[in-house]
Amino acid sequence: MPQEHRSGCPINLSLEVLGDKWSLLIIRDMMFGNRRHFRSLLTNSEEGIATNILADRLQRLTEQGMITSVADPRHKQRILLSLTEPAIQLVPVLAHLGAWGRRHLPVTPELAIRAELLERGGPQLWDEFMDELRELHLGLTRSAGTPSVLERLTEAYLKETQAQLVMSLPAKRAHAADKKTTM
Amino acid sequence: MPQEHRSGCPINLSLEVLGDKWSLLIIRDMMFGNRRHFRSLLTNSEEGIATNILADRLQRLTEQGMITSVADPRHKQRILLSLTEPAIQLVPVLAHLGAWGRRHLPVTPELAIRAELLERGGPQLWDEFMDELRELHLGLTRSAGTPSVLERLTEAYLKETQAQLVMSLPAKRAHAADKKTTM
């Protein structure tokens, strides 16, 4: 099948799978947000993905062997999406991409906290996280009592979101007071 | 400027810069192929980039602070392109992306050898390579006698290309002989 590809360069081939602005965001949301259904990927998307783009990218990612879908055992009428082993192995790529973005681009604190924790945790934390994803998405059980990386990342994110909210409150009040005096 | 961005997530912001099929390939060719001129990026591209796409992406990468351009001191009528510090810091991202592609996609051996060496060398080799790129692109001199990572990668690539060529010869001869007997 090499004729279907622009070249056999590993970076080019990776970009043929991931080189658009949405595919890797869908994988990010399934990975870090544990979003496993079409609707949660659609409505919780920070970036406001459109229905037709989400449907198209999910189909492409399925054809490329990055995700699989089955009828959800808990809600038969819903489709449960899972990451495949190759997609799970993108954790180090996403960790490095997040670390780079955090260093060079205008990130917002609550959305950058998980990237910071992943970067600080290094390869050992990535391995633990991949094992957890294998349990969640591939049904491969881990040894009992292993702490959850996903929980740690989510807690840090929620804590940072609350901190940002509290920090923004006095400004809002001051703004409201301003409005009153000028009206 | 957060309004210009879809979100302040580090992965999203990184994809806003790099999330198309060409931008990272241009950075790859400047980084690993030491291609510093429009023409060499155009004609040596494994993937056959079109003139207008190359021009557009070079402009976008310049606006995003990934590359700079000056009149080439050695050929005044030519423009010399350089990677910036943020672009040089993409080495670990490209190393991981290459490693992932090599593991999961149908790469060709001569185009995968540099990704293999980068992966095997790990963070220490990436640091050495980034220092070399800082010398080549930013004019920051390294300590004398430091071995060149770029040379090592290029030699391995040329050796693998030759090996592939030799391996393909008997097949070609056999094919030529086949042709003769059938004609």
Side-chain angles (χ1 to χ4, degrees):
Chain A
M1 302 196 291
Q3 291 84 343
E4 295 171 21
H5 301 290
R6 295 185 303 182
S7 87
C9 162
I11 291 171
N12 172 61
L13 291 172
S14 301
L15 289 173
E16 287 188 13
V17 178
L18 308 167
D20 78 278
K21 290 198 175 69
W22 292 108
S23 300
L24 214 49
L25 292 186
I26 293 169
I27 291 172
R28 175 203 65 182
D29 286 347
M30 290 180 69
M31 203 174 255
F32 298 101
N34 200 29
R35 296 180 199 153
R36 307 286 297 273
H37 300 96
F38 189 90
R39 185 138 295 277
S40 63
L41 285 167
L42 187 70
T43 54
N44 295 337
S45 162
E46 283 286 343
E47 291 81 16
I49 193 167
T51 312
N52 59 335
I53 292 182
L54 177 58
D56 175 78
R57 295 309 189 277
L58 285 176
Q59 196 187 331
R60 274 178 44 187
L61 286 168
T62 304
E63 287 164 2
Q64 289 162 333
M66 294 295 120
I67 58 176
T68 57
S69 50
V70 291
D72 190 334
R74 285 183 294 188
H75 308 268
K76 287 283 176 198
Q77 69 279 41
R78 292 206 300 178
I79 298 292
L80 180 70
L81 301 162
S82 299
L83 296 170
T84 63
E85 178 62 28
I88 289 169
Q89 288 186 21
L90 283 169
V91 165
V93 176
L94 283 163
H96 273 280
L97 201 62
W100 182 83
R102 216 167 64 77
R103 199 156 290 130
H104 299 291
L105 303 170
V107 298
T108 49
E110 71 274 23
L111 294 175
I113 183 73
R114 285 173 290 191
E116 188 182 338
L117 289 181
L118 267 185
E119 185 182 356
R120 272 201 268 141
Q124 199 193 325
L125 187 77
W126 309 341
D127 281 344
E128 283 172 37
F129 186 39
M130 286 192 277
D131 274 346
E132 184 170 359
L133 292 171
R134 286 184 187 106
E135 183 172 71
L136 288 169
H137 291 261
L138 308 176
L140 303 171
T141 41
R142 294 177 302 153
S143 40
T146 321
S148 166
V149 178
L150 191 59
E151 270 174 30
R152 242 187 296 169
L153 294 176
T154 307
E155 270 167 29
Y157 164 64
L158 292 174
K159 207 172 144 189
E160 188 66 35
T161 308
Q162 281 184 321
Q164 292 299 318
L165 202 67
V166 169
M167 275 171 66
S168 73
L169 279 180
K172 274 190 187 156
R173 278 192 197 132
H175 184 66
D178 272 349
K179 267 201 168 168
K180 267 188 190 157
T181 52
T182 53
M183 264 159 78
Chain B
M1 302 196 290
Q3 291 83 346
E4 294 171 23
H5 300 290
R6 294 184 301 182
S7 87
C9 162
I11 291 171
N12 171 61
L13 290 172
S14 300
L15 288 174
E16 287 189 13
V17 178
L18 308 166
D20 77 278
K21 290 198 177 70
W22 293 107
S23 299
L24 214 50
L25 292 186
I26 293 169
I27 291 172
R28 174 203 65 181
D29 287 346
M30 291 181 69
M31 204 174 253
F32 298 100
N34 200 31
R35 296 183 199 151
R36 307 286 295 274
H37 301 95
F38 189 90
R39 184 139 295 276
S40 63
L41 284 166
L42 188 69
T43 54
N44 295 337
S45 162
E46 283 285 341
E47 291 81 15
I49 192 167
T51 312
N52 60 334
I53 292 181
L54 178 57
D56 175 78
R57 295 308 188 278
L58 285 176
Q59 194 187 333
R60 274 177 44 189
L61 287 168
T62 304
E63 287 164 3
Q64 288 161 333
M66 295 294 119
I67 58 175
T68 57
S69 50
V70 292
D72 190 334
R74 287 183 293 187
H75 307 268
K76 287 284 178 198
Q77 70 280 39
R78 293 207 296 180
I79 298 293
L80 180 70
L81 301 162
S82 300
L83 296 170
T84 63
E85 177 61 27
I88 289 170
Q89 288 186 21
L90 283 168
V91 165
V93 176
L94 283 164
H96 274 281
L97 201 60
W100 182 82
R102 217 167 63 77
R103 198 155 291 131
H104 299 291
L105 302 170
V107 299
T108 50
E110 71 273 23
L111 295 175
I113 185 73
R114 286 174 289 192
E116 188 183 337
L117 289 179
L118 268 185
E119 186 182 357
R120 271 200 269 142
Q124 199 193 327
L125 188 77
W126 308 342
D127 281 345
E128 283 173 36
F129 187 40
M130 285 192 277
D131 274 346
E132 185 171 359
L133 292 171
R134 286 184 187 104
E135 185 172 68
L136 289 168
H137 291 262
L138 307 175
L140 303 171
T141 42
R142 292 177 303 151
S143 41
T146 320
S148 166
V149 177
L150 191 59
E151 271 174 30
R152 242 185 297 169
L153 294 176
T154 307
E155 271 167 30
Y157 163 64
L158 292 174
K159 207 172 142 188
E160 189 66 35
T161 307
Q162 281 183 320
Q164 292 299 318
L165 203 65
V166 170
M167 274 171 66
S168 72
L169 279 181
K172 272 189 189 158
R173 278 191 199 133
H175 185 62
D178 273 349
K179 267 201 170 171
K180 266 189 192 155
T181 52
T182 51
M183 264 161 75

